[in-house]
Amino acid sequence: MKNTKESEPAHVIRQAGFRATTPRIAVFSYLKKTTYPVTIQEIVKGIRPLHINQTTAYRMLESFKKVGLVVQVDFQHGHAHYELAGGRHHHHVVCTSCDKVEDVIGCNDQQLADKALRQAPGFSAITSHSLEFFGVCKSCTLAA
Amino acid sequence: MKNTKESEPAHVIRQAGFRATTPRIAVFSYLKKTTYPVTIQEIVKGIRPLHINQTTAYRMLESFKKVGLVVQVDFQHGHAHYELAGGRHHHHVVCTSCDKVEDVIGCNDQQLADKALRQAPGFSAITSHSLEFFGVCKSCTLAA
DNA sequence: TACTACTTGCAAATGATTTGCAAGTAGTAT
DNA sequence: ATACTACTTGCAAATCATTTGCAAGTAGTA
């Protein structure tokens, strides 16, 4: 299984230091085409008919996360959501009624982090942050 | 069990629409004296020698959260943390190595939320948001 | 083509949180 | 002070997300 086009999932996966296995290519490709952060369940179902074990998915996402290939986000739903990193850094607005998600960019994160660091005397560095917004989407507002 | 001084836990709890039971007063008082968001485990242990069931704690925190008495925060530790609401709105910096927590204030949240709402065409309102910073504290930096 | 370290699948363990139900009690009416 | 009822709690068991151990499979290299 070899494929060297720069943008090919297999290539990206190898660049990240992993073997380009069928499950990894499928998961990576799936994440590439999703438009919002997905759960492990969605990933496993999303790559059908290919079937992979949930354990495999958990391990894969964890390792992808470790090398910065994916980002984990928390919508306070009791389970993790993942999305591909690499795109423009952004955050999300989540509908607390129907779980719809939209992206938000331009949050001036560096400035936020700097300000936070200045206020935290016991810290020497801030490496990341999570920022999610919760609200009600228009369809749910109408439905209420 | 009656007590009407404005600031008394029992009074606050009744104002929120609950019965001022021993477990609730104990948990509320405990939260009042903690200086960082605590877990269910910490709460149950923190009110000793009074013993309450974890289930009770979960239900209590959930209901406190629902009426805005407490806020739930997520440090990506696999379990929820809670703190009393009502104080100044703030966020946290968490050490990814030792879990130390420090508060951060003045994040201009309203402005952040407004900006987010403007960018989310499908949403009619933003009701809350979560913002946590992750980094390394000074002791852990030295220990590394 | 062979080989080995990296991967995957499966089953079971762990940990957090939830649910059902019977027993207990705060707050109110008597 | 007493009785009463709806709100609360405790306990046991269920559920859900995630992790771990180990044997079998396979990608990438020699």
PDB file of all heavy atoms in Angstrom, chain A residues 74 102 105-106 115 119-122 124-125 127-132 134-136 138 141, chain B residues 74 102 105-106 115 119-122 124-125 127-132 134-136 138 141:
ATOM      1  N   ASP A  74     -14.827  19.340  23.250  1.00  0.00           N
ATOM      2  CA  ASP A  74     -15.801  18.867  24.220  1.00  0.00           C
ATOM      3  C   ASP A  74     -17.069  19.699  24.180  1.00  0.00           C
ATOM      4  O   ASP A  74     -17.050  20.881  24.479  1.00  0.00           O
ATOM      5  CB  ASP A  74     -15.177  18.936  25.607  1.00  0.00           C
ATOM      6  CG  ASP A  74     -16.102  18.303  26.616  1.00  0.00           C
ATOM      7  OD1 ASP A  74     -17.326  18.376  26.435  1.00  0.00           O
ATOM      8  OD2 ASP A  74     -15.603  17.712  27.579  1.00  0.00           O
ATOM      9  N   GLU A 102     -21.793  25.132  14.506  1.00  0.00           N
ATOM     10  CA  GLU A 102     -21.247  26.041  13.494  1.00  0.00           C
ATOM     11  C   GLU A 102     -19.876  26.525  13.962  1.00  0.00           C
ATOM     12  O   GLU A 102     -19.622  26.616  15.151  1.00  0.00           O
ATOM     13  CB  GLU A 102     -22.193  27.236  13.274  1.00  0.00           C
ATOM     14  CG  GLU A 102     -23.390  26.854  12.417  1.00  0.00           C
ATOM     15  CD  GLU A 102     -24.268  28.052  12.031  1.00  0.00           C
ATOM     16  OE1 GLU A 102     -23.818  29.211  12.172  1.00  0.00           O
ATOM     17  OE2 GLU A 102     -25.409  27.814  11.606  1.00  0.00           O
ATOM     18  N   ILE A 105     -14.537  31.789  13.861  1.00  0.00           N
ATOM     19  CA  ILE A 105     -13.101  32.044  13.721  1.00  0.00           C
ATOM     20  C   ILE A 105     -12.753  33.426  14.247  1.00  0.00           C
ATOM     21  O   ILE A 105     -13.616  34.160  14.710  1.00  0.00           O
ATOM     22  CB  ILE A 105     -12.648  31.951  12.254  1.00  0.00           C
ATOM     23  CG1 ILE A 105     -13.458  32.961  11.435  1.00  0.00           C
ATOM     24  CG2 ILE A 105     -12.793  30.555  11.729  1.00  0.00           C
ATOM     25  CD1 ILE A 105     -12.969  33.140  10.024  1.00  0.00           C
ATOM     26  N   GLY A 106     -11.486  33.747  14.159  1.00  0.00           N
ATOM     27  CA  GLY A 106     -11.054  35.093  14.507  1.00  0.00           C
ATOM     28  C   GLY A 106     -11.256  35.452  15.966  1.00  0.00           C
ATOM     29  O   GLY A 106     -11.668  36.546  16.300  1.00  0.00           O
ATOM     30  N   LYS A 115      -3.041  37.056  27.711  1.00  0.00           N
ATOM     31  CA  LYS A 115      -3.700  37.730  28.818  1.00  0.00           C
ATOM     32  C   LYS A 115      -3.891  36.765  29.991  1.00  0.00           C
ATOM     33  O   LYS A 115      -3.682  37.122  31.145  1.00  0.00           O
ATOM     34  CB  LYS A 115      -5.065  38.257  28.357  1.00  0.00           C
ATOM     35  CG  LYS A 115      -5.748  39.156  29.344  1.00  0.00           C
ATOM     36  CD  LYS A 115      -6.912  39.871  28.677  1.00  0.00           C
ATOM     37  CE  LYS A 115      -7.595  40.827  29.659  1.00  0.00           C
ATOM     38  NZ  LYS A 115      -8.699  41.556  29.021  1.00  0.00           N
ATOM     39  N   GLN A 119      -2.153  36.672  33.946  1.00  0.00           N
ATOM     40  CA  GLN A 119      -2.945  36.632  35.180  1.00  0.00           C
ATOM     41  C   GLN A 119      -2.718  35.396  36.024  1.00  0.00           C
ATOM     42  O   GLN A 119      -3.270  35.272  37.111  1.00  0.00           O
ATOM     43  CB  GLN A 119      -4.425  36.692  34.836  1.00  0.00           C
ATOM     44  CG  GLN A 119      -4.884  38.037  34.405  1.00  0.00           C
ATOM     45  CD  GLN A 119      -6.382  38.027  34.215  1.00  0.00           C
ATOM     46  OE1 GLN A 119      -7.117  37.507  35.026  1.00  0.00           O
ATOM     47  NE2 GLN A 119      -6.822  38.592  33.121  1.00  0.00           N
ATOM     48  N   ALA A 120      -1.964  34.458  35.492  1.00  0.00           N
ATOM     49  CA  ALA A 120      -1.727  33.226  36.232  1.00  0.00           C
ATOM     50  C   ALA A 120      -0.276  33.187  36.690  1.00  0.00           C
ATOM     51  O   ALA A 120       0.581  32.637  36.012  1.00  0.00           O
ATOM     52  CB  ALA A 120      -2.049  32.035  35.337  1.00  0.00           C
ATOM     53  N   PRO A 121      -0.001  33.763  37.831  1.00  0.00           N
ATOM     54  CA  PRO A 121       1.360  33.883  38.327  1.00  0.00           C
ATOM     55  C   PRO A 121       2.073  32.558  38.526  1.00  0.00           C
ATOM     56  O   PRO A 121       3.304  32.495  38.475  1.00  0.00           O
ATOM     57  CB  PRO A 121       1.191  34.633  39.644  1.00  0.00           C
ATOM     58  CG  PRO A 121      -0.202  34.323  40.073  1.00  0.00           C
ATOM     59  CD  PRO A 121      -0.983  34.273  38.802  1.00  0.00           C
ATOM     60  N   GLY A 122       1.319  31.483  38.743  1.00  0.00           N
ATOM     61  CA  GLY A 122       1.961  30.203  38.988  1.00  0.00           C
ATOM     62  C   GLY A 122       2.303  29.422  37.727  1.00  0.00           C
ATOM     63  O   GLY A 122       2.866  28.346  37.794  1.00  0.00           O
ATOM     64  N   SER A 124       4.082  28.996  33.827  1.00  0.00           N
ATOM     65  CA  SER A 124       5.171  29.475  32.994  1.00  0.00           C
ATOM     66  C   SER A 124       4.827  29.439  31.514  1.00  0.00           C
ATOM     67  O   SER A 124       5.495  30.052  30.696  1.00  0.00           O
ATOM     68  CB  SER A 124       6.439  28.651  33.253  1.00  0.00           C
ATOM     69  OG  SER A 124       6.163  27.282  33.103  1.00  0.00           O
ATOM     70  N   ALA A 125       3.766  28.710  31.160  1.00  0.00           N
ATOM     71  CA  ALA A 125       3.381  28.654  29.750  1.00  0.00           C
ATOM     72  C   ALA A 125       1.955  28.159  29.589  1.00  0.00           C
ATOM     73  O   ALA A 125       1.448  27.400  30.403  1.00  0.00           O
ATOM     74  CB  ALA A 125       4.328  27.716  28.994  1.00  0.00           C
ATOM     75  N   THR A 127      -0.201  26.228  26.718  1.00  0.00           N
ATOM     76  CA  THR A 127       0.031  25.496  25.483  1.00  0.00           C
ATOM     77  C   THR A 127      -1.211  25.338  24.610  1.00  0.00           C
ATOM     78  O   THR A 127      -1.102  25.123  23.418  1.00  0.00           O
ATOM     79  CB  THR A 127       0.576  24.099  25.797  1.00  0.00           C
ATOM     80  OG1 THR A 127      -0.297  23.482  26.757  1.00  0.00           O
ATOM     81  CG2 THR A 127       1.959  24.206  26.418  1.00  0.00           C
ATOM     82  N   SER A 128      -2.379  25.396  25.235  1.00  0.00           N
ATOM     83  CA  SER A 128      -3.593  25.270  24.441  1.00  0.00           C
ATOM     84  C   SER A 128      -4.781  25.774  25.241  1.00  0.00           C
ATOM     85  O   SER A 128      -4.646  26.126  26.401  1.00  0.00           O
ATOM     86  CB  SER A 128      -3.830  23.814  24.054  1.00  0.00           C
ATOM     87  OG  SER A 128      -4.178  23.068  25.206  1.00  0.00           O
ATOM     88  N   HIS A 129      -5.916  25.795  24.600  1.00  0.00           N
ATOM     89  CA  HIS A 129      -7.112  26.211  25.323  1.00  0.00           C
ATOM     90  C   HIS A 129      -8.321  25.659  24.602  1.00  0.00           C
ATOM     91  O   HIS A 129      -8.245  25.262  23.444  1.00  0.00           O
ATOM     92  CB  HIS A 129      -7.188  27.735  25.387  1.00  0.00           C
ATOM     93  CG  HIS A 129      -7.367  28.377  24.057  1.00  0.00           C
ATOM     94  ND1 HIS A 129      -6.303  28.759  23.282  1.00  0.00           N
ATOM     95  CD2 HIS A 129      -8.473  28.669  23.339  1.00  0.00           C
ATOM     96  CE1 HIS A 129      -6.750  29.276  22.162  1.00  0.00           C
ATOM     97  NE2 HIS A 129      -8.076  29.232  22.161  1.00  0.00           N
ATOM     98  N   SER A 130      -9.426  25.606  25.306  1.00  0.00           N
ATOM     99  CA  SER A 130     -10.661  25.157  24.682  1.00  0.00           C
ATOM    100  C   SER A 130     -11.667  26.276  24.838  1.00  0.00           C
ATOM    101  O   SER A 130     -11.737  26.910  25.878  1.00  0.00           O
ATOM    102  CB  SER A 130     -11.170  23.892  25.368  1.00  0.00           C
ATOM    103  OG  SER A 130     -11.656  24.178  26.658  1.00  0.00           O
ATOM    104  N   LEU A 131     -12.410  26.525  23.788  1.00  0.00           N
ATOM    105  CA  LEU A 131     -13.416  27.586  23.829  1.00  0.00           C
ATOM    106  C   LEU A 131     -14.597  27.152  22.989  1.00  0.00           C
ATOM    107  O   LEU A 131     -14.476  27.002  21.787  1.00  0.00           O
ATOM    108  CB  LEU A 131     -12.817  28.892  23.289  1.00  0.00           C
ATOM    109  CG  LEU A 131     -13.804  30.046  23.050  1.00  0.00           C
ATOM    110  CD1 LEU A 131     -14.542  30.416  24.319  1.00  0.00           C
ATOM    111  CD2 LEU A 131     -13.055  31.271  22.514  1.00  0.00           C
ATOM    112  N   GLU A 132     -15.696  26.907  23.657  1.00  0.00           N
ATOM    113  CA  GLU A 132     -16.898  26.506  22.937  1.00  0.00           C
ATOM    114  C   GLU A 132     -18.041  27.396  23.401  1.00  0.00           C
ATOM    115  O   GLU A 132     -18.142  27.732  24.570  1.00  0.00           O
ATOM    116  CB  GLU A 132     -17.256  25.041  23.226  1.00  0.00           C
ATOM    117  CG  GLU A 132     -16.093  24.051  23.150  1.00  0.00           C
ATOM    118  CD  GLU A 132     -15.363  24.060  21.821  1.00  0.00           C
ATOM    119  OE1 GLU A 132     -16.002  24.367  20.791  1.00  0.00           O
ATOM    120  OE2 GLU A 132     -14.150  23.783  21.813  1.00  0.00           O
ATOM    121  N   PHE A 134     -22.254  27.945  23.655  1.00  0.00           N
ATOM    122  CA  PHE A 134     -23.494  27.173  23.663  1.00  0.00           C
ATOM    123  C   PHE A 134     -24.653  28.137  23.512  1.00  0.00           C
ATOM    124  O   PHE A 134     -24.656  29.221  24.096  1.00  0.00           O
ATOM    125  CB  PHE A 134     -23.614  26.390  24.968  1.00  0.00           C
ATOM    126  CG  PHE A 134     -22.492  25.420  25.160  1.00  0.00           C
ATOM    127  CD1 PHE A 134     -21.358  25.786  25.876  1.00  0.00           C
ATOM    128  CD2 PHE A 134     -22.539  24.162  24.577  1.00  0.00           C
ATOM    129  CE1 PHE A 134     -20.285  24.901  26.020  1.00  0.00           C
ATOM    130  CE2 PHE A 134     -21.486  23.271  24.712  1.00  0.00           C
ATOM    131  CZ  PHE A 134     -20.354  23.642  25.434  1.00  0.00           C
ATOM    132  N   GLY A 135     -25.617  27.741  22.694  1.00  0.00           N
ATOM    133  CA  GLY A 135     -26.744  28.629  22.470  1.00  0.00           C
ATOM    134  C   GLY A 135     -27.896  27.877  21.838  1.00  0.00           C
ATOM    135  O   GLY A 135     -27.978  26.653  21.927  1.00  0.00           O
ATOM    136  N   VAL A 136     -28.770  28.629  21.195  1.00  0.00           N
ATOM    137  CA  VAL A 136     -29.920  28.002  20.555  1.00  0.00           C
ATOM    138  C   VAL A 136     -29.944  28.402  19.089  1.00  0.00           C
ATOM    139  O   VAL A 136     -29.821  29.587  18.757  1.00  0.00           O
ATOM    140  CB  VAL A 136     -31.239  28.466  21.214  1.00  0.00           C
ATOM    141  CG1 VAL A 136     -32.400  27.666  20.662  1.00  0.00           C
ATOM    142  CG2 VAL A 136     -31.150  28.314  22.726  1.00  0.00           C
ATOM    143  N   LYS A 138     -31.519  28.811  15.205  1.00  0.00           N
ATOM    144  CA  LYS A 138     -32.762  29.420  14.744  1.00  0.00           C
ATOM    145  C   LYS A 138     -33.921  28.444  14.615  1.00  0.00           C
ATOM    146  O   LYS A 138     -35.048  28.758  14.992  1.00  0.00           O
ATOM    147  CB  LYS A 138     -32.518  30.164  13.427  1.00  0.00           C
ATOM    148  CG  LYS A 138     -31.709  31.427  13.679  1.00  0.00           C
ATOM    149  CD  LYS A 138     -31.384  32.207  12.416  1.00  0.00           C
ATOM    150  CE  LYS A 138     -30.632  33.497  12.770  1.00  0.00           C
ATOM    151  NZ  LYS A 138     -30.018  34.169  11.593  1.00  0.00           N
ATOM    152  N   THR A 141     -35.258  27.760  17.975  1.00  0.00           N
ATOM    153  CA  THR A 141     -35.937  28.923  18.538  1.00  0.00           C
ATOM    154  C   THR A 141     -37.361  28.988  18.011  1.00  0.00           C
ATOM    155  O   THR A 141     -38.313  29.220  18.752  1.00  0.00           O
ATOM    156  CB  THR A 141     -35.216  30.224  18.128  1.00  0.00           C
ATOM    157  OG1 THR A 141     -33.868  30.159  18.578  1.00  0.00           O
ATOM    158  CG2 THR A 141     -35.890  31.426  18.771  1.00  0.00           C
TER     159      THR A 141
ATOM    160  N   ASP B  74     -14.982  21.705  32.596  1.00  0.00           N
ATOM    161  CA  ASP B  74     -14.357  20.501  32.090  1.00  0.00           C
ATOM    162  C   ASP B  74     -12.860  20.696  31.883  1.00  0.00           C
ATOM    163  O   ASP B  74     -12.441  21.497  31.074  1.00  0.00           O
ATOM    164  CB  ASP B  74     -15.004  20.136  30.751  1.00  0.00           C
ATOM    165  CG  ASP B  74     -14.518  18.792  30.269  1.00  0.00           C
ATOM    166  OD1 ASP B  74     -13.352  18.455  30.545  1.00  0.00           O
ATOM    167  OD2 ASP B  74     -15.292  18.086  29.636  1.00  0.00           O
ATOM    168  N   GLU B 102      -5.555  27.733  38.313  1.00  0.00           N
ATOM    169  CA  GLU B 102      -5.586  29.132  38.721  1.00  0.00           C
ATOM    170  C   GLU B 102      -6.699  29.833  37.941  1.00  0.00           C
ATOM    171  O   GLU B 102      -7.012  29.443  36.826  1.00  0.00           O
ATOM    172  CB  GLU B 102      -4.231  29.820  38.466  1.00  0.00           C
ATOM    173  CG  GLU B 102      -3.204  29.443  39.510  1.00  0.00           C
ATOM    174  CD  GLU B 102      -1.903  30.240  39.404  1.00  0.00           C
ATOM    175  OE1 GLU B 102      -1.866  31.272  38.709  1.00  0.00           O
ATOM    176  OE2 GLU B 102      -0.908  29.811  40.018  1.00  0.00           O
ATOM    177  N   ILE B 105      -9.493  36.145  35.010  1.00  0.00           N
ATOM    178  CA  ILE B 105     -10.693  36.981  34.866  1.00  0.00           C
ATOM    179  C   ILE B 105     -10.513  37.975  33.728  1.00  0.00           C
ATOM    180  O   ILE B 105      -9.482  38.005  33.074  1.00  0.00           O
ATOM    181  CB  ILE B 105     -11.003  37.767  36.154  1.00  0.00           C
ATOM    182  CG1 ILE B 105      -9.787  38.622  36.501  1.00  0.00           C
ATOM    183  CG2 ILE B 105     -11.362  36.826  37.269  1.00  0.00           C
ATOM    184  CD1 ILE B 105     -10.034  39.601  37.625  1.00  0.00           C
ATOM    185  N   GLY B 106     -11.515  38.758  33.519  1.00  0.00           N
ATOM    186  CA  GLY B 106     -11.418  39.829  32.531  1.00  0.00           C
ATOM    187  C   GLY B 106     -11.241  39.371  31.107  1.00  0.00           C
ATOM    188  O   GLY B 106     -10.455  39.924  30.355  1.00  0.00           O
ATOM    189  N   LYS B 115     -19.291  38.429  19.215  1.00  0.00           N
ATOM    190  CA  LYS B 115     -18.544  38.185  17.996  1.00  0.00           C
ATOM    191  C   LYS B 115     -18.864  36.799  17.439  1.00  0.00           C
ATOM    192  O   LYS B 115     -19.046  36.631  16.242  1.00  0.00           O
ATOM    193  CB  LYS B 115     -17.042  38.282  18.296  1.00  0.00           C
ATOM    194  CG  LYS B 115     -16.172  38.271  17.074  1.00  0.00           C
ATOM    195  CD  LYS B 115     -14.755  38.705  17.428  1.00  0.00           C
ATOM    196  CE  LYS B 115     -13.870  38.724  16.195  1.00  0.00           C
ATOM    197  NZ  LYS B 115     -12.487  39.146  16.535  1.00  0.00           N
ATOM    198  N   GLN B 119     -20.911  35.583  13.811  1.00  0.00           N
ATOM    199  CA  GLN B 119     -20.340  34.652  12.831  1.00  0.00           C
ATOM    200  C   GLN B 119     -21.127  33.377  12.656  1.00  0.00           C
ATOM    201  O   GLN B 119     -20.806  32.552  11.813  1.00  0.00           O
ATOM    202  CB  GLN B 119     -18.934  34.279  13.271  1.00  0.00           C
ATOM    203  CG  GLN B 119     -17.937  35.381  13.038  1.00  0.00           C
ATOM    204  CD  GLN B 119     -16.561  34.890  13.386  1.00  0.00           C
ATOM    205  OE1 GLN B 119     -16.163  33.802  12.967  1.00  0.00           O
ATOM    206  NE2 GLN B 119     -15.834  35.669  14.159  1.00  0.00           N
ATOM    207  N   ALA B 120     -22.121  33.174  13.489  1.00  0.00           N
ATOM    208  CA  ALA B 120     -22.902  31.943  13.401  1.00  0.00           C
ATOM    209  C   ALA B 120     -24.291  32.275  12.883  1.00  0.00           C
ATOM    210  O   ALA B 120     -25.215  32.490  13.652  1.00  0.00           O
ATOM    211  CB  ALA B 120     -22.974  31.280  14.773  1.00  0.00           C
ATOM    212  N   PRO B 121     -24.438  32.322  11.573  1.00  0.00           N
ATOM    213  CA  PRO B 121     -25.694  32.730  10.946  1.00  0.00           C
ATOM    214  C   PRO B 121     -26.888  31.866  11.325  1.00  0.00           C
ATOM    215  O   PRO B 121     -28.019  32.320  11.286  1.00  0.00           O
ATOM    216  CB  PRO B 121     -25.393  32.640   9.455  1.00  0.00           C
ATOM    217  CG  PRO B 121     -24.295  31.640   9.367  1.00  0.00           C
ATOM    218  CD  PRO B 121     -23.444  31.904  10.569  1.00  0.00           C
ATOM    219  N   GLY B 122     -26.644  30.614  11.704  1.00  0.00           N
ATOM    220  CA  GLY B 122     -27.751  29.736  12.030  1.00  0.00           C
ATOM    221  C   GLY B 122     -28.241  29.842  13.460  1.00  0.00           C
ATOM    222  O   GLY B 122     -29.179  29.168  13.854  1.00  0.00           O
ATOM    223  N   SER B 124     -29.604  31.993  16.915  1.00  0.00           N
ATOM    224  CA  SER B 124     -30.321  33.190  17.319  1.00  0.00           C
ATOM    225  C   SER B 124     -29.853  33.695  18.675  1.00  0.00           C
ATOM    226  O   SER B 124     -30.137  34.825  19.051  1.00  0.00           O
ATOM    227  CB  SER B 124     -31.819  32.917  17.360  1.00  0.00           C
ATOM    228  OG  SER B 124     -32.101  31.799  18.168  1.00  0.00           O
ATOM    229  N   ALA B 125     -29.141  32.888  19.423  1.00  0.00           N
ATOM    230  CA  ALA B 125     -28.660  33.346  20.731  1.00  0.00           C
ATOM    231  C   ALA B 125     -27.531  32.471  21.248  1.00  0.00           C
ATOM    232  O   ALA B 125     -27.458  31.279  20.926  1.00  0.00           O
ATOM    233  CB  ALA B 125     -29.800  33.336  21.733  1.00  0.00           C
ATOM    234  N   THR B 127     -26.005  31.431  24.854  1.00  0.00           N
ATOM    235  CA  THR B 127     -26.372  31.527  26.269  1.00  0.00           C
ATOM    236  C   THR B 127     -25.216  31.324  27.234  1.00  0.00           C
ATOM    237  O   THR B 127     -25.254  31.757  28.370  1.00  0.00           O
ATOM    238  CB  THR B 127     -27.458  30.487  26.592  1.00  0.00           C
ATOM    239  OG1 THR B 127     -26.999  29.214  26.141  1.00  0.00           O
ATOM    240  CG2 THR B 127     -28.752  30.829  25.876  1.00  0.00           C
ATOM    241  N   SER B 128     -24.195  30.619  26.791  1.00  0.00           N
ATOM    242  CA  SER B 128     -23.046  30.407  27.671  1.00  0.00           C
ATOM    243  C   SER B 128     -21.853  29.960  26.840  1.00  0.00           C
ATOM    244  O   SER B 128     -21.958  29.735  25.643  1.00  0.00           O
ATOM    245  CB  SER B 128     -23.365  29.335  28.710  1.00  0.00           C
ATOM    246  OG  SER B 128     -23.477  28.077  28.070  1.00  0.00           O
ATOM    247  N   HIS B 129     -20.728  29.838  27.484  1.00  0.00           N
ATOM    248  CA  HIS B 129     -19.558  29.346  26.785  1.00  0.00           C
ATOM    249  C   HIS B 129     -18.595  28.753  27.790  1.00  0.00           C
ATOM    250  O   HIS B 129     -18.686  29.027  28.980  1.00  0.00           O
ATOM    251  CB  HIS B 129     -18.871  30.472  26.018  1.00  0.00           C
ATOM    252  CG  HIS B 129     -18.319  31.536  26.897  1.00  0.00           C
ATOM    253  ND1 HIS B 129     -19.067  32.624  27.285  1.00  0.00           N
ATOM    254  CD2 HIS B 129     -17.124  31.675  27.497  1.00  0.00           C
ATOM    255  CE1 HIS B 129     -18.337  33.405  28.065  1.00  0.00           C
ATOM    256  NE2 HIS B 129     -17.149  32.847  28.214  1.00  0.00           N
ATOM    257  N   SER B 130     -17.680  27.932  27.295  1.00  0.00           N
ATOM    258  CA  SER B 130     -16.670  27.376  28.188  1.00  0.00           C
ATOM    259  C   SER B 130     -15.325  27.793  27.632  1.00  0.00           C
ATOM    260  O   SER B 130     -15.116  27.805  26.426  1.00  0.00           O
ATOM    261  CB  SER B 130     -16.776  25.850  28.213  1.00  0.00           C
ATOM    262  OG  SER B 130     -16.359  25.307  26.979  1.00  0.00           O
ATOM    263  N   LEU B 131     -14.445  28.191  28.508  1.00  0.00           N
ATOM    264  CA  LEU B 131     -13.108  28.613  28.085  1.00  0.00           C
ATOM    265  C   LEU B 131     -12.117  28.186  29.144  1.00  0.00           C
ATOM    266  O   LEU B 131     -12.139  28.679  30.265  1.00  0.00           O
ATOM    267  CB  LEU B 131     -13.077  30.143  27.912  1.00  0.00           C
ATOM    268  CG  LEU B 131     -11.706  30.782  27.662  1.00  0.00           C
ATOM    269  CD1 LEU B 131     -11.026  30.187  26.449  1.00  0.00           C
ATOM    270  CD2 LEU B 131     -11.842  32.293  27.509  1.00  0.00           C
ATOM    271  N   GLU B 132     -11.282  27.234  28.798  1.00  0.00           N
ATOM    272  CA  GLU B 132     -10.263  26.776  29.739  1.00  0.00           C
ATOM    273  C   GLU B 132      -8.921  26.809  29.037  1.00  0.00           C
ATOM    274  O   GLU B 132      -8.821  26.487  27.859  1.00  0.00           O
ATOM    275  CB  GLU B 132     -10.547  25.341  30.214  1.00  0.00           C
ATOM    276  CG  GLU B 132     -11.987  25.040  30.586  1.00  0.00           C
ATOM    277  CD  GLU B 132     -12.555  25.941  31.658  1.00  0.00           C
ATOM    278  OE1 GLU B 132     -11.782  26.431  32.505  1.00  0.00           O
ATOM    279  OE2 GLU B 132     -13.778  26.200  31.643  1.00  0.00           O
ATOM    280  N   PHE B 134      -4.889  25.500  29.018  1.00  0.00           N
ATOM    281  CA  PHE B 134      -4.057  24.402  29.502  1.00  0.00           C
ATOM    282  C   PHE B 134      -2.603  24.788  29.314  1.00  0.00           C
ATOM    283  O   PHE B 134      -2.226  25.373  28.304  1.00  0.00           O
ATOM    284  CB  PHE B 134      -4.378  23.122  28.738  1.00  0.00           C
ATOM    285  CG  PHE B 134      -5.802  22.696  28.912  1.00  0.00           C
ATOM    286  CD1 PHE B 134      -6.770  23.089  27.993  1.00  0.00           C
ATOM    287  CD2 PHE B 134      -6.192  21.965  30.017  1.00  0.00           C
ATOM    288  CE1 PHE B 134      -8.109  22.738  28.174  1.00  0.00           C
ATOM    289  CE2 PHE B 134      -7.522  21.611  30.207  1.00  0.00           C
ATOM    290  CZ  PHE B 134      -8.482  22.003  29.292  1.00  0.00           C
ATOM    291  N   GLY B 135      -1.788  24.478  30.308  1.00  0.00           N
ATOM    292  CA  GLY B 135      -0.387  24.845  30.217  1.00  0.00           C
ATOM    293  C   GLY B 135       0.423  24.104  31.254  1.00  0.00           C
ATOM    294  O   GLY B 135      -0.002  23.064  31.753  1.00  0.00           O
ATOM    295  N   VAL B 136       1.581  24.633  31.556  1.00  0.00           N
ATOM    296  CA  VAL B 136       2.449  23.995  32.531  1.00  0.00           C
ATOM    297  C   VAL B 136       2.766  24.997  33.635  1.00  0.00           C
ATOM    298  O   VAL B 136       3.150  26.137  33.361  1.00  0.00           O
ATOM    299  CB  VAL B 136       3.776  23.548  31.877  1.00  0.00           C
ATOM    300  CG1 VAL B 136       4.577  22.706  32.856  1.00  0.00           C
ATOM    301  CG2 VAL B 136       3.493  22.764  30.606  1.00  0.00           C
ATOM    302  N   LYS B 138       4.743  26.526  37.044  1.00  0.00           N
ATOM    303  CA  LYS B 138       6.163  26.738  37.296  1.00  0.00           C
ATOM    304  C   LYS B 138       6.857  25.573  37.995  1.00  0.00           C
ATOM    305  O   LYS B 138       7.965  25.197  37.642  1.00  0.00           O
ATOM    306  CB  LYS B 138       6.350  28.033  38.077  1.00  0.00           C
ATOM    307  CG  LYS B 138       6.096  29.242  37.183  1.00  0.00           C
ATOM    308  CD  LYS B 138       6.244  30.573  37.896  1.00  0.00           C
ATOM    309  CE  LYS B 138       6.011  31.716  36.880  1.00  0.00           C
ATOM    310  NZ  LYS B 138       5.839  33.037  37.537  1.00  0.00           N
ATOM    311  N   THR B 141       7.480  22.941  35.487  1.00  0.00           N
ATOM    312  CA  THR B 141       8.497  23.336  34.529  1.00  0.00           C
ATOM    313  C   THR B 141       9.876  23.061  35.115  1.00  0.00           C
ATOM    314  O   THR B 141      10.767  22.518  34.462  1.00  0.00           O
ATOM    315  CB  THR B 141       8.391  24.838  34.210  1.00  0.00           C
ATOM    316  OG1 THR B 141       7.097  25.108  33.710  1.00  0.00           O
ATOM    317  CG2 THR B 141       9.432  25.237  33.166  1.00  0.00           C
TER     318      THR B 141
END
